[in-house]
Amino acid sequence: MKNNSQSNQDKFIRKAIASAFILQAVIIDVQGNLDVVSGKPALNVIQGMIVQGIELIVKANRSRKSVEEIDRPSQLRITPNPDN
């Protein structure tokens, strides 16, 4: 088992990663608004924002899966020997 200090550190890292994803989403929104205000066509801006949002979702999902993989007990990651 992990000690309490390691557990707190893991929680902090997860919160920091989540905060970074939220910050990136806010930046996508602000940049999109600035692009529209500067005169770029709204449809082009919206398409770009959707693409960036999808990329962000994919990154967040990969990050979540990676954390879940690390959190699994090591015995589950070891495949059994079929010869036994």
Side-chain angles (χ1 to χ4, degrees):
M1 285 191 113
K2 294 180 180 179
N3 60 24
N4 196 22
S5 175
Q6 183 70 30
S7 177
N8 288 338
Q9 186 178 18
D10 289 347
K11 288 178 185 178
F12 175 78
I13 291 171
R14 288 180 191 180
K15 287 181 181 181
I17 292 170
S19 297
F21 283 128
I22 292 169
L23 179 61
Q24 191 171 355
V26 169
I27 291 170
I28 291 169
D29 180 52
V30 170
Q31 184 62 46
N33 288 327
L34 290 174
D35 287 345
V36 170
V37 169
S38 70
K40 292 184 181 177
L43 288 178
N44 292 346
V45 173
I46 291 170
Q47 287 175 347
M49 290 174 69
I50 289 171
V51 168
Q52 290 176 356
I54 290 170
E55 290 173 357
L56 182 61
I57 291 168
V58 170
K59 285 180 192 177
N61 192 35
R62 285 182 186 155
S63 177
R64 180 186 55 82
K65 286 181 180 179
S66 176
V67 168
E68 287 175 356
E69 180 75 21
I70 291 169
D71 284 347
R72 286 188 201 153
S74 60
Q75 63 190 12
L76 294 178
R77 286 183 260 168
I78 300 172
T79 57
N81 187 349
D83 296 333
N84 289 340

